[in-house]
Amino acid sequence: MQIDLRSDTITRPTQAMQEAMWSAPVGDDVFGDDPTVNALEEKAARLFGMEAALFCPSGTMTNQLAIRVHTQPGSDVICDKLSHIYLYEGGGIMLNSFSSVKLLDGDRGRLTAEQVAGAISPEHDVHSTVTRLVSLENTMNKGGGCYYDLDEIKDIRQVCNEHGIPLHLDGARLFNALVETGETPAQFGELFDTISICLSKGLGCPVGSLLLGTADTIKKARRFRKVMGGGWRQAGFLAAAGIYALDNHVERLKEDHARARAIGTMLHRKPEVEYVYPIDTNIVIFQLPNTMLAADYVRRLDMLRIKAVTFGKHLVRFVTHHDFTDDHLAELEKQLAKI
Ligand SMILES: *Cc1c(COP(=O)(O)O)cnc(C)c1O
């Protein structure tokens, strides 16, 4: 049995999701007449209590579009030093938006309002970039899937309001946070100018992300998406998977979290594991001793038919997902015992 814990992006659409996809009515989305894409965008916007949404191929694109819309050349974006938008989007802030970053050192990637307030560039100082965006990530990938306290986000919003700076959320895994806290998408929609959501992760779609915002913001983002070559045609086949996932795959994220915690229990018993990050959602990060390279450990796992990724010189990451079942969990325990 092959076990793949590299990412929650590796899932295949279920039979029911495939049926929803192939039976979807479609049109040409560049002309704006794909009914299924429109239905997905309307559904998501309603869910978050926001005006509009834009369906895109990836979370990188939705984040980058948001940054592009909110900034101008010479801006800076305030974010944590572990942010996906900074570390894993190919330098897009610079390449797409000609903007810089103000990197903060948060608690496992989570910023405080005080940190954000302290990082805003002084107005009217020609030496500095102009702060035009604050970007948060929830859940925080590099922080091991941890999530924000909503009150802290409210305080950050307050700081942004005081300075007239928009607030973006990289919510690639926001639904993982919501099923844990019981908070609603609308509570987040109220606090952010733009939100990026991935359908292709825990929600189990083959492809797709959504950008949410005001009608004006989304109109601008739609233009930049076309410029980037992201205008797509009968995308309704993919949007149908998104509709299906929002209806059927949200609550079950709790199962992924329970399995992640079970993996944590296994790892705590292993002598070579020095430290396991607190497990808040579906991401498990663990640390090996200084004498053991993560790359070597991942190779050993691979020989036992367990796929994982390195997350630092001595860090390994597992991500649980829809296609990782209790059978896989039992097999993982058996195989890990061999190390
Ligand atoms: C996966 C991910 C994204 C987007 O990734 P794509 O592979 O481009 O869809 C953005 N932010 C975070 C935190 C992610 O984990």
Side-chain angles (χ1 to χ4, degrees):
M1 185 188 282
Q2 176 72 57
I3 294 169
D4 196 340
L5 293 166
R6 285 174 301 171
S7 175
D8 44 9
T9 55
I10 64 106
T11 56
R12 309 292 166 90
T14 60
Q15 189 66 38
M17 183 181 276
Q18 287 181 43
E19 280 161 21
M21 293 170 74
W22 287 117
S23 60
V26 296
D28 189 321
D29 184 49
V30 175
F31 288 110
D33 65 9
D34 186 307
T36 308
V37 171
N38 293 342
L40 171 64
E41 291 176 347
E42 280 158 28
K43 182 184 178 70
R46 218 175 317 115
L47 185 62
F48 281 83
M50 296 174 92
E51 286 177 11
L54 183 66
F55 183 45
C56 291
S58 73
T60 298
M61 187 182 272
T62 46
N63 280 330
Q64 290 299 319
L65 288 174
I67 294 163
R68 182 70 181 83
V69 169
H70 292 305
T71 60
Q72 290 165 28
S75 304
D76 67 67
V77 177
I78 293 176
C79 62
D80 188 88
K81 69 182 200 305
L82 301 178
S83 302
H84 194 281
I85 59 162
Y86 170 65
L87 282 183
Y88 298 124
E89 299 187 6
I93 299 173
M94 162 193 59
L95 287 168
N96 298 317
S97 299
F98 306 101
S99 288
S100 185
V101 282
K102 286 274 187 74
L103 297 178
L104 297 177
D105 192 4
D107 167 29
R108 294 168 69 201
R110 291 165 300 189
L111 306 179
T112 65
E114 195 182 343
Q115 282 180 304
V116 171
I120 294 169
S121 296
E123 247 180 301
H124 311 306
D125 183 345
V126 294
H127 296 86
S128 61
T129 45
V130 182
T131 301
R132 286 216 170 82
L133 184 64
V134 175
S135 180
L136 310 181
E137 188 174 313
N138 201 34
T139 67
M140 183 68 203
N141 176 24
K142 255 310 216 199
C146 57
Y147 47 84
Y148 271 89
D149 177 344
L150 196 64
D151 286 333
E152 195 65 53
I153 299 180
K154 287 179 183 166
D155 291 346
I156 293 172
R157 176 78 252 180
Q158 187 57 38
V159 170
C160 288
N161 287 349
E162 284 160 17
H163 292 83
I165 298 171
L167 182 60
H168 172 70
L169 177 66
D170 178 354
R173 296 190 180 84
L174 178 61
F175 283 102
N176 292 87
L178 296 182
V179 299
E180 284 296 314
T181 61
E183 288 152 6
T184 64
Q187 282 176 289
F188 280 75
E190 234 170 62
L191 291 168
F192 289 90
D193 295 275
T194 43
I195 298 180
S196 161
I197 296 292
C198 284
L199 300 166
S200 58
K201 297 197 168 159
L203 297 183
C205 294
V207 175
S209 291
L210 287 158
L211 180 66
L212 296 125
T214 64
D216 182 53
T217 299
I218 294 304
K219 192 173 160 202
K220 288 177 182 151
R222 193 178 293 279
R223 169 169 282 275
F224 288 125
R225 185 188 67 171
K226 186 74 177 78
V227 173
M228 288 178 169
W232 46 5
R233 305 295 180 174
Q234 287 74 46
F237 292 121
L238 296 170
I243 292 171
Y244 181 88
L246 289 173
D247 287 337
N248 297 284
H249 285 178
V250 174
E251 277 305 308
R252 64 150 306 284
L253 290 170
K254 286 179 186 162
E255 296 173 27
D256 297 344
H257 301 176
R259 291 189 188 103
R261 283 190 287 269
I263 293 174
T265 307
M266 291 174 199
L267 292 173
H268 278 297
R269 289 197 293 259
K270 296 205 63 65
E272 75 276 17
V273 173
E274 288 223 320
Y275 176 70
V276 184
Y277 281 44
I279 298 168
D280 300 314
T281 53
N282 68 330
I283 298 179
V284 181
I285 299 177
F286 58 97
Q287 190 175 343
L288 300 164
N290 284 336
T291 52
M292 210 182 275
L293 291 175
D296 291 336
Y297 197 80
V298 164
R299 262 193 293 279
R300 280 166 76 186
L301 289 172
D302 195 52
M303 286 190 282
L304 298 168
R305 297 177 64 73
I306 301 164
K307 286 184 197 270
V309 296
T310 63
F311 228 43
K313 200 170 174 194
H314 305 289
L315 293 176
V316 178
R317 186 189 74 169
F318 288 157
V319 186
T320 58
H321 51 76
H322 185 279
D323 295 359
F324 178 76
T325 63
D326 283 336
D327 287 347
H328 292 105
L329 186 66
E331 176 71 10
L332 177 71
E333 181 154 38
K334 213 167 81 188
Q335 295 301 331
L336 279 180
K338 295 180 184 166
I339 294 187

